[in-house]
Amino acid sequence: MSTAPVLDPAHTALLVMDYQPAILAFVPEGEARNALLGRVESAIADVRANGGTTAYARVGFTEADWDAVPAANRSFAPLARHRVMHHEDPAAAVHERLAPQDGDIIVRKIRYGSMSTTDLDQRLRERGITSLVVSGISTSGVVLSTVIDAADRDYQ
């Protein structure tokens, strides 16, 4: 007998976070990166096949975003200072193997968590989403921040 929760696809979203060329560059090329992308591709295909929602969160800055990052912010100040991860830069796009499709949710974020600087929560709630399956590049960054925020917002 399994104790795993049963997910209702109609009320479940897969969050695909930070799978962008500039961030994936920190994952060793070759077998490790291909395996990671393959697992996420498979999860996306499963969610779509079962009628679930796929939501993408990607880091991408505008000039105004860079200007608003405090110099004391150790994580994001270097990005702002060097003007990297511009939201229109191909390196800040979702990796082509995981390309969003019509009907997917896509948000642009400027901090670790996928909800704090986006309308992701509102867009998920509009679709009746109550459960999240979370996938991200940095467990101690995007995943942790998003999971804590989502728990505070009463997602399963």
Side-chain angles (χ1 to χ4, degrees):
M1 180 170 177
S2 174
T3 60
V6 176
L7 298 174
D8 175 0
H11 299 287
T12 301
L14 170 65
L15 302 186
V16 180
M17 305 179 296
D18 294 358
Y19 287 90
Q20 302 165 256
I23 296 172
L24 282 162
F26 293 100
V27 177
E29 282 190 58
E31 193 173 320
R33 191 180 304 171
N34 283 332
L36 173 65
L37 289 169
R39 286 190 300 272
V40 178
E41 277 179 311
S42 178
I44 292 168
D46 287 348
V47 167
R48 288 186 176 136
N50 288 290
T53 296
T54 304
Y56 295 84
R58 65 183 192 91
V59 178
F61 295 89
T62 64
E63 290 289 331
D65 296 330
W66 284 323
D67 292 342
V69 175
N73 184 314
R74 290 184 173 200
S75 297
F76 293 96
L79 299 177
R81 185 171 46 255
H82 297 290
R83 299 300 208 232
V84 295
M85 297 296 293
H86 188 273
H87 71 103
E88 293 177 338
D89 185 336
V94 174
H95 191 280
E96 63 187 7
R97 283 180 59 181
L98 311 177
Q101 294 182 0
D102 289 342
D104 291 343
I105 296 171
I106 307 166
V107 297
R108 181 183 64 84
K109 64 190 186 83
I110 56 173
R111 289 294 188 267
Y112 284 116
S114 294
M115 292 188 180
S116 65
T117 61
T118 72
D119 65 349
L120 179 59
D121 178 48
Q122 174 187 341
R123 294 173 72 183
L124 292 169
R125 292 191 189 283
E126 287 171 354
R127 294 183 185 208
I129 301 301
T130 57
S131 298
L132 303 176
V133 177
V134 181
S135 172
I137 294 293
S138 171
T139 304
S140 63
V142 65
V143 173
L144 177 61
S145 295
T146 302
V147 166
I148 289 171
D149 196 358
D152 283 347
R153 296 171 191 247
D154 300 318
Y155 286 95
Q156 305 269 334

